[in-house]
Amino acid sequence: MTRNEALFQFLLRLGDNTGILSHRVSEWIGHAPVLEEDIALANTALDLIGQTTFWLELAGEVEGKGRTADNLAYLRDAWDYRNLLLVERPNGDFGKTMMRQFLFDAWQSLMLGKLLTSTDPRVAEIAAKASKEVAYHLERSADTVVGLGDGTDESHNRMQAALDDLWDYTGEMFISDEVDEVLAAANIAPKAASLKTEWEELVGHILRDATLTIPDSSYTHKGGKSGVHTEHLGFILADMQFLQRAYPGATW
Amino acid sequence: MYAQMIKTASNSVKTRDEMSDSERAFQDRIDAGQKIEPKDWMPDDYRATLIRQIGQHAHSEIVGQLPEGNWITRAPTLERKAILIAKVQDEAGHGLYLYCAAETLGVSRDELIEELHAGRMKYSSIFNYPTLNWADMGAIGWLVDGAAIMNQVPLQRTSYGPYSRAMVRICKEESFHQRQGYSIMLKMAQGNDAQKAMAQDSLNRFWYPSLMMFGPPDAESVHSEQSMAWKIKINTNDELRQKFVDQTVPQIEYLGLECPDQTITWNAEKDGYDYAQPDWNEFFEVIKGNGPCNKERLAARVKAWDDGEWVRDGLLAHAKKKSARVAAE
Amino acid sequence: MSKEWPLWEVFIRGQHGMSHRHIGSLHAPDAEMAIKNARDVYTRRNEGVSIWVVEAVHIAASSPSDKGPFYEPSNSKVYRHPAFFDIPDDVGAM
């Protein structure tokens, strides 16, 4: 695997994570528990779409075949998508959505922190912009997880159920493969596994404040990073890509 | 208008002789262009009418998220998706500003939401129509927001301070809504045959419902004199509708689309278009709850509210625990 | 007991060194969330660099019926305004 091939894959991973998560978050708009949350969720979705555009544009540039961010987002099928399984999990209730957001935000903030010093200046530049947005996402999702975890009995139970359900999807963040090896050797990106300890500390601290118990499970669902997804992704793409697929070549 | 058929509590405008001293002083302040502020004395009818009007306007913004929200996940490009989210988000924001303005009159947001969910308060008829193709995102921005702006711009001068200030903010933010809608329509009208067909179909479906947004013809519209005297309604329904038609017809021509009203003709004498009235029976049916989407729209809002209850309670319970812990330290 | 989140008044300082200005209201369970909600609701168009929130019930306001006694007396203190004083043009800018 050449460095360019590895970088292309890595950028797809970053862009697909934010792209699919923004899609999930945007499903909430108009249906949130309170108006202030509708507005906040929309801001998160907008930040994530912006990041998706940057990562996929760069991916297209690195690939060198003239594909735009929209081409990559709207014209790849599920097996070419490289996002973590975590972000394609269905929204569930608001608590599950916020738990998914928190687990991802914690990882993304650490990843972007490392990418700030990437030897590829294009990567470092996008990371610099995105890390400010993600710092806020993390603050907000962590607060909500703590607030609901340490709220009423019902909210506590729902948050514990959310954590139990999502936990087995977090391990995938830390599985290194050839892509990471190649990029780590060139100091373009960190090895996936290298973020694990810090993430566990950060997440552990917040979940303790939230009075939640980390499940006693070491099982890890995986496959998203290499294109083997859950059944959910196909439906997300069917929804998202409908117009581009039904009217090929149209401009919108 | 997001506020249609607002009933003023009283049926006729009082003459100066019929007014009490406070009512006369109140009317004088309004006539002098002064703003009425929350703690000022105001007639009970003024307060009640405003609560209904601002509340209905707020509800319209909130329910108004749904028809466009319907296409967020299907937006055809990343940029269009971002623009649409930002637009729907503004609607939530506008609903929020308006609920806050209503709250200064002594009603809570939760009370207003309860009234909406129980069917005792209405929202604009326009949001009971479905969004069936992507061009509807264009038509809504262009026609629906265009019609709303016609009403909201003069309402910036309304007599009630908090309402007026909310309108100023809303108008400022809303200026991009109509333009983004028209830009979608332009792309569609200049696109391939399927896109052109979507644009025409969308215009056909939204033309008359947009005209209905201004409310029934003046001749049949009761209760508006008092609201106009109080400056909580600035123009009549027909004035605004005429202005909207006159503004929109050339925009339809520019798109190369056909106006759904085949009878439309320029009337040089009145310096405006003669146009066909929408089917007012349909309008009253939609208001009564028989529009194509009334049930879904309200059900979606009720579900969001009911499903969200544990979240609101949970975060409030946490806030109380936290402040109790701080107090104990 | 009402389960509605309390109402907060939001004050925002814009980019240009002006004072915090009342910009609107919102609901939030506590002050921290009120600040975050204010950030999401009221700075969507880059309107501010600093946010204050105060729970609406804690605002003490002058009463409208005091308008006369409160504000009219200052009408007669015209000497507080620079234009009250005639200074010959020859003196130069002052």
Side-chain angles (χ1 to χ4, degrees):
Chain A
M1 186 179 280
T2 67
R3 188 187 297 176
N4 235 32
E5 283 164 358
L7 182 55
F8 176 62
Q9 289 298 319
F10 181 71
L11 292 168
L12 290 183
R13 289 175 185 179
L14 293 174
D16 290 345
N17 279 337
T18 52
I20 298 301
L21 187 60
S22 73
H23 186 96
R24 281 297 193 211
V25 173
S26 76
E27 290 172 9
W28 272 101
I29 297 171
H31 307 276
V34 66
L35 263 182
E36 283 80 357
E37 286 294 344
D38 273 305
I39 295 169
L41 287 164
N43 275 341
T44 302
L46 285 174
D47 287 343
L48 293 171
I49 292 174
Q51 293 167 21
T52 305
T53 309
F54 285 126
W55 292 128
L56 294 185
E57 255 169 23
L58 183 53
E61 186 184 319
V62 166
E63 187 193 32
K65 291 182 183 165
R67 288 204 276 183
T68 63
D70 278 336
N71 292 157
L72 287 168
Y74 290 89
L75 300 173
R76 276 177 303 147
D77 209 332
W79 56 80
D80 284 329
Y81 261 75
R82 294 289 180 265
N83 58 280
L84 298 163
L85 299 181
L86 176 70
V87 297
E88 69 196 50
R89 301 300 300 153
N91 284 341
D93 64 17
F94 183 78
K96 193 158 156 186
T97 293
M98 292 313 289
M99 181 60 80
R100 182 186 63 201
Q101 189 70 37
F102 165 66
L103 297 169
F104 178 77
D105 289 343
W107 173 82
Q108 205 200 6
S109 71
L110 295 171
M111 173 56 91
L112 292 173
K114 305 283 188 234
L115 294 180
L116 290 175
T117 56
S118 169
T119 54
D120 188 323
R122 299 168 300 181
V123 172
E125 197 188 322
I126 299 173
K129 184 181 181 298
S131 62
K132 289 186 197 126
E133 296 167 347
V134 172
Y136 179 74
H137 298 175
L138 176 59
E139 213 182 295
R140 190 163 181 116
S141 63
D143 268 9
T144 308
V145 165
V146 170
L148 292 174
D150 181 35
T152 59
D153 287 346
E154 179 177 9
S155 72
H156 174 86
N157 293 340
R158 283 176 181 265
M159 293 313 280
Q160 185 63 53
L163 181 61
D164 293 347
D165 184 70
L166 294 169
W167 187 253
D168 291 349
Y169 292 90
T170 58
E172 191 185 11
M173 297 166 176
F174 310 109
I175 301 173
S176 295
D177 61 8
E178 199 190 345
V179 170
D180 303 275
E181 303 290 341
V182 172
L183 296 182
N187 290 316
I188 292 175
K191 275 188 203 168
S194 71
L195 302 174
K196 192 166 196 242
T197 314
E198 261 184 283
W199 182 86
E200 281 173 347
E201 274 171 29
L202 174 57
V203 166
H205 165 72
I206 296 295
L207 293 178
R208 249 193 320 280
D209 284 354
T211 70
L212 298 173
T213 312
I214 293 177
D216 185 20
S217 159
S218 56
Y219 187 75
T220 288
H221 293 286
K222 54 183 179 289
K225 286 160 82 171
S226 52
V228 184
H229 290 272
T230 64
E231 290 178 348
H232 302 290
L233 185 65
F235 289 98
I236 292 176
L237 297 184
D239 205 16
M240 179 171 130
Q241 299 179 339
F242 157 65
L243 284 168
Q244 291 264 1
R245 300 288 195 182
Y247 305 98
T251 52
W252 302 95
Chain B
M1 302 19 352
Y2 286 168
Q4 298 156 320
M5 318 250 318
I6 298 297
K7 287 203 174 103
T8 310
S10 58
N11 273 331
S12 58
V13 187
K14 281 187 188 171
T15 64
R16 288 190 73 79
D17 290 344
E18 289 166 340
M19 288 180 189
S20 68
D21 287 351
S22 342
E23 284 171 341
R24 217 171 297 131
F26 177 81
Q27 190 62 50
D28 287 345
R29 289 184 60 196
I30 290 182
D31 293 343
Q34 288 182 23
K35 295 277 182 246
I36 307 302
E37 294 298 336
K39 291 190 169 179
D40 294 347
W41 183 88
M42 60 186 84
D44 290 344
D45 287 352
Y46 176 84
R47 184 186 299 274
T49 309
L50 263 180
I51 288 175
R52 274 202 289 271
Q53 178 171 334
I54 301 174
Q56 187 181 117
H57 194 156
H59 296 329
S60 299
E61 298 281 357
I62 300 315
V63 178
Q65 294 180 95
L66 301 172
E68 288 171 291
N70 183 33
W71 278 88
I72 286 176
T73 58
R74 289 178 290 173
T77 67
L78 292 168
E79 190 183 58
R80 286 285 177 211
K81 178 146 79 173
I83 294 169
L84 186 58
I85 290 175
K87 202 207 151 204
V88 176
Q89 181 191 45
D90 275 351
E91 280 151 21
H94 298 170
L96 188 149
Y97 308 155
L98 287 161
Y99 282 129
C100 289
E103 281 176 275
T104 63
L105 291 160
V107 62
S108 76
R109 189 199 293 179
D110 282 9
E111 282 165 343
L112 290 170
I113 288 175
E114 224 168 85
E115 292 287 299
L116 170 71
H117 291 178
R120 289 189 295 267
M121 280 182 88
K122 305 283 185 203
Y123 53 89
S124 176
S125 57
I126 191 75
F127 301 117
N128 291 312
Y129 289 88
T131 54
L132 302 178
N133 79 53
W134 171 253
D136 290 359
M137 299 304 99
I140 289 182
W142 169 39
L143 300 174
V144 175
D145 290 79
I149 290 165
M150 292 261 143
N151 186 48
Q152 288 172 178
V153 166
L155 272 178
Q156 294 178 96
R157 294 181 280 115
T158 185
S159 61
Y160 188 56
Y163 192 24
S164 153
R165 289 190 285 276
M167 277 300 143
V168 168
R169 199 176 171 85
I170 288 171
C171 286
K172 204 162 98 191
E173 295 187 348
E174 206 149 273
S175 54
F176 100 86
H177 293 185
Q178 197 184 10
R179 295 171 70 99
Q180 69 86 31
Y182 198 70
S183 105
I184 291 177
M185 289 308 274
L186 270 172
K187 276 268 189 272
M188 302 295 281
Q190 294 164 356
N192 62 31
D193 288 349
Q195 287 175 299
K196 280 181 202 153
M198 286 184 225
Q200 185 65 55
D201 169 57
S202 178
L203 174 60
N204 292 349
R205 282 181 288 106
F206 276 97
W207 173 256
Y208 288 111
S210 299
L211 297 187
M212 293 176 194
M213 286 177 69
F214 299 92
D218 295 346
E220 293 158 41
S221 175
V222 281
H223 307 304
S224 69
E225 274 167 50
Q226 179 62 72
S227 288
M228 292 183 89
W230 279 335
K231 288 193 191 160
I232 57 183
K233 184 177 169 99
I234 311 285
N235 304 89
T236 73
N237 298 350
D238 285 336
E239 273 168 23
L240 290 170
R241 189 165 19 245
Q242 183 68 53
K243 207 171 155 200
F244 174 76
V245 169
D246 293 346
Q247 172 189 292
T248 308
V249 171
Q251 295 168 347
I252 297 176
E253 285 165 4
Y254 187 84
L255 291 171
L257 298 177
E258 231 172 86
C259 183
D261 176 359
Q262 306 282 339
T263 72
I264 207 147
T265 39
W266 177 254
N267 180 337
E269 205 174 311
K270 77 168 184 188
D271 197 28
Y273 287 92
D274 289 332
Y275 59 92
Q277 289 292 317
D279 176 355
W280 289 109
N281 288 332
E282 175 181 317
F283 172 76
F284 290 113
E285 286 300 328
V286 173
I287 293 279
K288 258 195 275 173
N290 295 325
C293 298
N294 292 58
K295 291 197 176 70
E296 282 113 307
R297 299 286 188 248
L298 199 58
R301 289 307 310 162
V302 170
K303 182 174 192 304
W305 188 247
D306 291 349
D307 287 355
E309 188 179 10
W310 72 269
V311 176
R312 297 188 300 273
D313 290 352
L315 292 175
L316 190 61
H318 176 71
K320 284 185 178 153
K321 280 188 202 175
K322 214 166 53 170
S323 71
R325 280 197 288 263
V326 170
E329 270 165 22
Chain C
M1 185 197 78
S2 165
K3 297 201 293 183
E4 187 163 6
W5 290 353
L7 186 68
W8 300 77
E9 299 300 336
V10 180
F11 301 81
I12 289 187
R13 181 154 58 76
Q15 312 277 359
H16 307 295
M18 306 290 278
S19 311
H20 283 76
R21 211 178 127 227
H22 183 241
I23 192 119
S25 331
L26 47 75
H27 289 270
D30 59 22
E32 287 79 12
M33 283 309 290
I35 289 174
K36 290 199 173 73
N37 288 346
R39 179 262 190 201
D40 281 309
V41 172
Y42 288 108
T43 67
R44 305 202 298 288
R45 286 172 172 80
N46 210 11
E47 292 96 332
V49 293
S50 169
I51 297 173
W52 289 348
V53 295
V54 58
E55 208 177 325
V57 295
H58 292 144
I59 290 189
S62 64
S63 128
S65 55
D66 286 344
K67 243 182 200 164
F70 251 60
Y71 309 110
E72 276 165 29
S74 66
N75 284 344
S76 57
K77 316 278 192 301
V78 284
Y79 41 78
R80 286 197 173 115
H81 300 277
F84 177 72
F85 304 93
D86 272 331
I87 304 288
D89 289 349
D90 296 345
V91 177
M94 185 177 280

